[in-house]
């Protein structure tokens, strides 16, 4: 985790507010959220590219291992609820990318809508309870084939919404493994003598959720965004040069 006040103070120092402009806390929080998400989203692209490279025998120096370590805090395994009224599986609200869905411990395979029409009408490919498939519908929901029924899911027919706690041995269990989206960072403050002062005890304070090694990356990315806002191209150029140097050091 990266301390947000550490990043904020570095951004202010490098932006040199007396000569080039001032980055307000509101602007910083917006830039911080964008910078954090860009770095987080880039992990998945790097994973794809690193899988094509030879693996380093030392795990601590292997690129894929390092990326998995950075992604690990965002990996969540969570039970999912079946909506018995609308017949779909509700996904967690903070989901970013699905890793997999399991049904009673068996993996549920994802297919697209055009494929499901074909597979469900083919006697050899038609899904069953141990070889299920799912289709992503609207945001936050998926359809599962075959859909759970009263005999397999054991929902309470009185409320038609809850699992029957008295019959657990046959009750279906769904679990979603996914990467959650990082929480929006927030530099919290109080105003003293017309100056914003960091408030470490604020209830809405939110540090960056990225790995500690990403601090300098965050500083440079936020500076690039700040330079655009306060119309100082030299700040953007300096931040871009810092990012490039960091990349070269990591790849050398």
């Amino acid at each position: 985790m990266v301390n947000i006040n550490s990043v904020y103070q570095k951004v202010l120092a490098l932006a040199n507010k007396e000569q080039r402009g001032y980055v307000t806390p509101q602007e910083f929080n917006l830039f911080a959220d964008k910078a954090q998400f860009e770095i987080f989203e880039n992990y998945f692209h790097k994973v794809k590219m690193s899988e094509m490279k030879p693996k380093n025998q030392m795990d601590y120096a292997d690129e894929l291992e390092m990326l998995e370590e950075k992604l690990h805090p965002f990996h969540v395994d969570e039970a999912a609820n079946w909506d018995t009224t609308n017949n779909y599986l509700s996904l967690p609200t903070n989901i970013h990318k699905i890793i997999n869905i399991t049904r009673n411990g068996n993996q549920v395979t994802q297919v697209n809508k055009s494929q499901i029409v074909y597979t469900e009408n083919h006697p050899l490919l038609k899904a069953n309870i141990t070889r299920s498939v799912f289709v992503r519908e609207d945001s936050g929901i998926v359809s599962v084939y075959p859909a759970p029924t009263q005999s397999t899911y054991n929902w309470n027919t009185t409320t038609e919404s809850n699992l029957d706690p008295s019959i657990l041995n046959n009750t279906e269990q769904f679990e979603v493994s996914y990467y959650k989206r990082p929480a929006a960072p927030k530099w919290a403050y109080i105003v003293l003598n017309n100056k914003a002062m960091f408030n470490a005890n604020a209830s809405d304070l939110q540090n960056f959720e990225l790995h500690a090694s990403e601090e300098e990356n965050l500083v440079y990315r936020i500076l690039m965004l700040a330079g655009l806002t306060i119309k100082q191209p030299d700040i953007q150029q300096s931040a871009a040069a810092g990012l490039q140097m960091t990349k070269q050091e990591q790849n050398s």
Side-chain angles (χ1 to χ4, degrees):
M1 185 172 289
V2 180
N3 184 282
I4 194 167
N5 189 47
S6 176
V7 174
Y8 184 62
Q9 297 304 328
K10 287 181 180 180
V11 167
L12 285 187
L14 292 171
N16 190 358
K17 66 177 182 181
E18 288 78 16
Q19 297 179 20
R20 297 171 177 164
Y22 179 67
V23 181
T24 68
Q26 293 85 354
E27 290 171 335
F28 173 81
N29 286 334
L30 289 174
F31 300 155
D33 188 30
K34 179 173 174 57
Q36 176 175 248
F37 187 73
E38 286 177 350
I39 295 171
F40 173 71
E41 183 62 24
N42 198 35
Y43 288 158
F44 300 100
H45 173 71
K46 288 183 176 180
V47 167
K48 178 184 68 176
M49 299 305 295
S50 65
E51 287 180 336
M52 302 177 185
K53 300 177 182 178
K55 185 174 177 63
N56 194 308
Q57 293 183 348
M58 297 178 291
D59 287 344
Y60 67 86
D62 183 73
E63 184 177 1
L64 185 58
E65 290 289 338
M66 289 189 286
L67 287 168
E68 289 179 348
E69 180 181 350
K70 292 179 179 181
L71 280 169
H72 180 71
F74 304 100
H75 185 157
V76 180
D77 297 317
E78 185 175 319
N81 295 320
W82 182 260
D83 187 319
T84 59
T85 302
N86 299 297
N87 277 345
Y88 59 66
L89 198 65
S90 300
L91 298 176
T93 56
N94 64 341
I95 195 168
H96 180 64
K97 290 185 183 293
I98 293 178
I99 300 173
N100 61 54
I101 296 176
T102 60
R103 180 182 195 171
N104 298 332
N106 297 313
Q107 184 164 329
V108 184
T109 304
Q110 181 174 355
V111 298
N112 59 45
K113 289 187 177 181
S114 61
Q115 289 175 316
I116 198 65
V117 174
Y118 172 73
T119 58
E120 285 302 288
N121 286 287
H122 193 292
L124 298 178
L125 299 178
K126 186 177 178 65
N128 57 53
I129 197 168
T130 59
R131 185 174 50 81
S132 304
V133 298
F134 75 90
V135 176
R136 299 197 73 157
E137 303 290 353
D138 297 332
S139 177
I141 63 174
V142 299
S143 296
V144 178
Y145 297 83
T149 64
Q150 286 184 335
S151 62
T152 63
Y153 198 64
N154 288 325
W155 65 66
N156 187 316
T157 55
T158 302
T159 63
E160 294 188 352
S161 61
N162 300 315
L163 294 179
D164 187 342
S166 65
I167 312 175
L168 296 178
N169 58 329
N170 292 322
T171 300
E172 290 198 59
Q173 302 291 327
F174 288 95
E175 184 178 80
V176 181
S177 296
Y178 64 96
Y179 289 112
K180 68 174 185 176
R181 182 185 176 112
K186 184 172 183 181
W187 189 79
Y189 65 96
I190 56 175
V191 178
L192 294 175
N193 299 322
N194 297 319
K195 185 177 181 180
M197 304 294 293
F198 180 61
N199 183 7
N201 299 316
S203 59
D204 57 346
L205 171 66
Q206 176 63 56
N207 287 310
F208 294 98
E209 292 191 323
L210 298 180
H211 191 274
S213 64
E214 299 291 5
E215 181 169 339
E216 297 307 309
N217 197 357
L218 285 165
V219 170
Y220 288 134
R221 285 178 180 272
I222 294 170
L223 274 175
M224 288 179 64
L225 295 168
L228 179 64
T229 300
I230 61 181
K231 299 180 180 179
Q232 293 293 335
D234 57 328
I235 294 179
Q236 290 178 278
Q237 293 167 4
S238 176
L243 277 176
Q244 184 61 32
M245 183 174 65
T246 300
K247 289 180 181 178
Q248 289 176 349
E249 290 175 348
Q250 291 176 346
N251 295 327
S252 61

